[in-house]
Amino acid sequence: MARNAGKWLRAFKHHPVVSKLPRRTRRPLKAFVKWLINQNNPKTMTVSFTRQAAMDYFRVSRRTVDYWVFRLRFFGLLASIASGRSARYAPKGQPTTDLAPVYTFTIPDPDHKLFGNPDLIDTESIHCTPSPVRESKTSWVKTGTQKISYQTLCARAYARYARQHRASLESKRQQLFPAHAQKAEASQLKHLARCLQHHSPADLRRIALEPILAETTLLFRAGWQIADILHALETRPDGSRWDTSGSGGMRSVQAWLRLRLKAWIKDSRPLIAPSELKAQADTARKAEQARQRAQAAAELKQSAPKDSPARVAVRRKTAIIRCGSEQAARNQHPELFESA
């Protein structure tokens, strides 16, 4: 933090990046800095102003004022203490007045990367009024042969931090709360049971969620899907269909659900899911088809030698196409036309 405005003004003038800015950019930025010094509170070394006040004083657009503030903050010469707030966003019970943001003057560290490498900033792309095609707060940082915006670098750094932070929280949660994994599994089972109620006939929609969980938890833990349970409610393990459809004639829907699913459980262990059985059958069928195709191709290759009439005819047509005419093919490949 700067002790006085004069020291801060000298830091601005001798900043390595500011000195390399074009004249058309440095002059209005310097005028804005002097205006900030006039708005400065010498006791607290803070400045509070609205964007509209700066726009009226310099006769510029809001994008230009935002650009100046962003540049000073990026150079390490300005720091935000409190953000502004419009009157229409004031909480209930508080005065509906516009609150201006509060900034403080700062002097950048000499060890900052911009001091040692001022060429990191592309000064040719810095203008007083940014182009409407490009974001007003975009600054470009050279990284080798590629130019990446400063906002992109910040977003990538924050994304890396967020991933590491979430992983750290999850590991701590697993250590401090051993029951967290059980709660997550219970939540997932409830979600599957609700989906089963949604996709099932009207029978399961007439009962609560707890009876459905009691009968389907074992199957869901074994890897069964909702389609597998719906198939098991209408079909036996041997592929035959049940005599009745739905829970009609049963004393309760839960008893019907228990009876139908019990047929797919043997020795307290669920059988292979119907979808998995179908996938295994499809894999075996495709393997058998591939074996039959390979066997047929091998038999065809053995039954048709190189001098067979069909192969000679194909080679003859190929030679005619390659040579351009039948006479040229006869001259270059007479062996193909001996039997013709």
Side-chain angles (χ1 to χ4, degrees):
M1 181 175 176
R3 295 183 179 179
N4 53 69
K7 187 175 181 180
W8 181 71
L9 181 60
R10 288 192 299 270
F12 169 79
K13 292 180 179 180
H14 297 292
H15 198 283
V17 179
V18 175
S19 59
K20 295 188 64 176
L21 292 176
R23 183 182 178 88
R24 65 181 183 276
T25 305
R26 187 172 62 253
R27 288 188 63 182
L29 187 59
K30 185 177 180 180
F32 179 69
V33 167
K34 293 182 177 180
W35 182 78
L36 289 180
I37 293 176
N38 295 331
Q39 306 294 325
N40 173 44
N41 185 352
K43 293 183 180 180
T44 60
M45 289 303 297
T46 58
V47 57
S48 178
F49 66 94
T50 61
R51 297 292 195 275
Q52 188 63 41
M55 292 164 53
D56 296 340
Y57 184 84
F58 291 100
R59 303 287 183 176
V60 294
S61 64
R62 184 185 179 88
R63 292 170 60 89
T64 302
V65 177
D66 292 340
Y67 172 81
W68 288 341
V69 174
F70 170 75
R71 277 297 166 189
L72 293 178
R73 295 183 63 180
F74 180 69
F75 295 157
L77 296 169
L78 202 65
S80 177
I81 296 179
S83 59
R85 187 189 67 194
S86 176
R88 59 179 177 176
Y89 296 113
K92 294 183 179 179
Q94 295 187 9
T96 56
T97 56
D98 294 329
L99 298 180
V102 181
Y103 299 95
T104 183
F105 298 151
T106 57
I107 297 178
D109 187 5
D111 296 332
H112 194 267
K113 63 179 181 180
L114 295 181
F115 280 83
N117 301 285
D119 293 334
L120 286 175
I121 303 299
D122 188 4
T123 56
E124 294 299 328
S125 63
I126 300 177
H127 303 284
C128 178
T129 301
S131 172
V133 180
R134 194 176 64 184
E135 177 63 26
S136 61
K137 294 185 178 181
T138 300
S139 61
W140 301 95
V141 180
K142 293 182 179 179
T143 57
T145 59
Q146 183 183 9
K147 289 185 178 180
I148 303 178
S149 66
Y150 179 73
Q151 285 74 19
T152 303
L153 293 178
C154 293
R156 291 179 181 178
Y158 180 76
R160 289 193 299 269
Y161 163 76
R163 288 194 297 267
Q164 297 173 0
H165 184 64
R166 284 194 297 267
S168 177
L169 287 180
E170 185 64 25
S171 62
K172 291 180 180 179
R173 189 181 296 111
Q174 295 289 349
Q175 297 173 3
L176 297 177
F177 305 100
H180 174 70
Q182 299 178 2
K183 293 181 180 179
E185 183 187 15
S187 177
Q188 185 177 7
L189 290 175
K190 288 182 180 180
H191 174 70
L192 292 175
R194 291 192 186 97
C195 292
L196 179 62
Q197 273 187 319
H198 177 74
H199 293 283
S200 66
D203 303 294
L204 296 182
R205 301 186 186 184
R206 296 199 303 264
I207 62 176
L209 191 66
E210 286 73 14
I212 299 177
L213 277 175
E215 305 300 334
T216 59
T217 297
L218 183 63
L219 298 175
F220 282 140
R221 286 178 176 174
W224 280 47
Q225 303 297 326
I226 296 175
D228 298 330
I229 295 182
L230 294 177
H231 176 79
L233 293 178
E234 299 295 335
T235 311
R236 293 187 177 94
D238 57 359
S240 62
R241 297 185 64 85
W242 291 95
D243 298 335
T244 60
S245 178
S247 61
M250 298 295 294
R251 66 179 184 272
S252 67
V253 178
Q254 185 177 2
W256 166 77
L257 181 63
R258 184 186 303 112
L259 178 64
R260 295 292 175 92
L261 296 182
K262 190 177 180 180
W264 291 83
I265 300 176
K266 186 177 181 180
D267 298 334
S268 301
R269 297 184 61 182
L271 300 178
I272 301 178
S275 60
E276 188 174 351
L277 288 174
K278 183 179 179 181
Q280 293 177 0
D282 292 343
T283 303
R285 177 175 53 81
K286 291 179 181 179
E288 180 64 21
Q289 291 177 355
R291 188 189 64 80
Q292 293 178 0
R293 286 195 297 267
Q295 184 179 359
E299 294 177 355
L300 180 62
K301 186 175 182 180
Q302 292 178 0
S303 62
K306 293 184 178 181
D307 55 350
S308 63
R311 288 198 171 191
V312 172
V314 173
R315 293 174 60 190
R316 187 185 301 122
K317 293 181 180 179
T318 305
I320 293 174
I321 295 173
R322 184 171 61 249
C323 297
S325 63
E326 182 178 354
Q327 186 62 36
R330 286 179 178 273
N331 295 335
Q332 295 186 20
H333 304 282
E335 69 278 2
L336 299 178
F337 297 88
E338 292 178 354
S339 59

